[in-house]
Amino acid sequence: DLNMAIAYFQKSMMRVRYSSIPVVVAPHGMTLGGGCEMTMHADRVVAAAETYIGLVEVGVGVIPGGGGTKEMTLRTSREFQNDDVKTNRLRDAFMNIAMGKVATSAYEAFDMGILEQHKDIVAVNRNTQISQAKNVALLLAEQGYTQPIEQSVKVLGKEALGMFYVGTDQMLAGKFISEHDKKIADKLANVMVGGNLSEPTVVTEQYLLNLERETFLQLCGERKTLERIQYMLQKGKPLRN
């Protein structure tokens, strides 16, 4: 049942991304987890200046499972330059998810790669945010919006995975994270490098979504993850176990 629920949510996010009509999202206030994932899949975002947005699933012992992990990997792969140190860009995206970082404003969300420059905009006045978003949707339609084509993603495979494992080992040794945090972070890294691939490879979005969903379900079977979920439901704050 959980597998079907996650698959359904992933398909919904991909429908947002590949709809035949423009989709504009107008987030405000607390936009965490699934709300952040929907925001990242829209054609355009008209975000309230006061938007607290991020992928916080690690706090309850899982990874973003509704396309968030896939999307951050895709966005990072778009930025790879020929002579660039690719792992550095991927590491920044990985750390934002692994530490459950939340942007404290829409402006900070641009720095974190959740909102995209030259595409998404900030609505300073909350009272006009919805009408502004509506105007953006109408403008996209009037300009002759066409359904986007699915994108491929360059993943780095095992060459990058070792770097992540070294990093999580050091964080555990320094007592910055718990054993369970390390397990989640290692599984997250495995998804973001494309799984068990011996070299950099170009894969489909669906390949990463399947890997993301499989990892989410694996973590749901962990006792410490269930403890985190129960604690969050009861206390309304994350458990560090």
Side-chain angles (χ1 to χ4, degrees), residues 55 58 62-64 68-70 72-73 90 93-100 161 164-165 181-195 211-212 215 219:
L55 297 166
V58 168
V62 293
I63 68 167
T69 306
K70 176 274 300 176
M72 288 306 285
T73 308
L90 192 62
F94 165 80
M95 288 299 292
N96 285 341
I97 300 174
M99 304 307 287
L161 192 58
F164 286 122
Y165 284 171
D181 288 327
K182 181 183 183 311
K183 179 178 280 190
I184 300 163
D186 286 347
K187 286 184 178 292
L188 170 66
N190 186 63
V191 176
M192 295 185 79
V193 302
L211 201 52
E212 179 184 287
T215 303
L219 286 166

Side-chain angles (χ1 to χ4, degrees), residues 97-118:
I97 300 174
M99 304 307 287
K101 188 176 178 186
V102 176
T104 55
S105 70
Y107 300 103
E108 191 181 354
F110 282 107
D111 296 333
M112 288 172 59
I114 293 170
L115 298 182
E116 294 187 287
Q117 299 286 356
H118 314 301

Side-chain angles (χ1 to χ4, degrees), residues 191-206:
V191 176
M192 295 185 79
V193 302
N196 191 28
L197 298 172
S198 57
E199 60 184 15
T201 308
V202 175
V203 299
T204 63
E205 287 183 81
Q206 190 58 52

Side-chain angles (χ1 to χ4, degrees), residues 13-199:
M13 295 305 98
M14 293 299 276
R15 283 290 302 277
V16 170
R17 165 61 50 78
Y18 296 112
S19 173
S20 58
I21 58 171
V23 178
V24 179
V25 171
H28 63 92
M30 302 296 275
T31 308
L32 307 175
C36 178
E37 288 173 314
M38 178 169 280
T39 299
M40 292 172 71
H41 282 85
D43 290 303
R44 293 285 188 280
V45 180
V46 179
E50 201 167 306
T51 301
Y52 302 88
I53 186 166
L55 297 166
V56 296
E57 286 83 351
V58 168
V60 288
V62 293
I63 68 167
T69 306
K70 176 274 300 176
E71 187 61 20
M72 288 306 285
T73 308
L74 169 63
R75 290 185 179 193
T76 305
S77 78
R78 267 197 226 127
E79 296 174 9
F80 289 159
Q81 305 295 326
N82 287 339
D83 299 322
D84 199 5
V85 181
K86 298 178 176 61
T87 48
N88 286 358
R89 292 182 181 273
L90 192 62
R91 181 196 60 205
D92 293 343
F94 165 80
M95 288 299 292
N96 285 341
I97 300 174
M99 304 307 287
K101 188 176 178 186
V102 176
T104 55
S105 70
Y107 300 103
E108 191 181 354
F110 282 107
D111 296 333
M112 288 172 59
I114 293 170
L115 298 182
E116 294 187 287
Q117 299 286 356
H118 314 301
K119 180 171 87 70
D120 302 328
I121 58 176
V122 178
V124 178
N125 187 344
R126 272 280 289 121
N127 295 325
T128 60
Q129 182 188 8
I130 296 299
S131 61
Q132 205 173 336
K134 180 181 175 181
N135 289 336
V136 170
L138 290 170
L139 183 62
L140 284 171
E142 287 162 9
Q143 288 175 340
Y145 177 85
T146 54
Q147 185 172 340
I149 57 170
E150 291 209 22
Q151 300 174 68
S152 55
V153 189
K154 184 175 183 180
V155 290
L156 301 180
K158 287 182 178 176
E159 76 169 45
L161 192 58
M163 175 203 70
F164 286 122
Y165 284 171
V166 169
T168 57
D169 281 341
Q170 288 175 342
M171 290 184 77
L172 180 64
K175 295 185 168 51
F176 294 108
I177 60 174
S178 68
E179 287 272 6
H180 195 52
D181 288 327
K182 181 183 183 311
K183 179 178 280 190
I184 300 163
D186 286 347
K187 286 184 178 292
L188 170 66
N190 186 63
V191 176
M192 295 185 79
V193 302
N196 191 28
L197 298 172
S198 57
E199 60 184 15

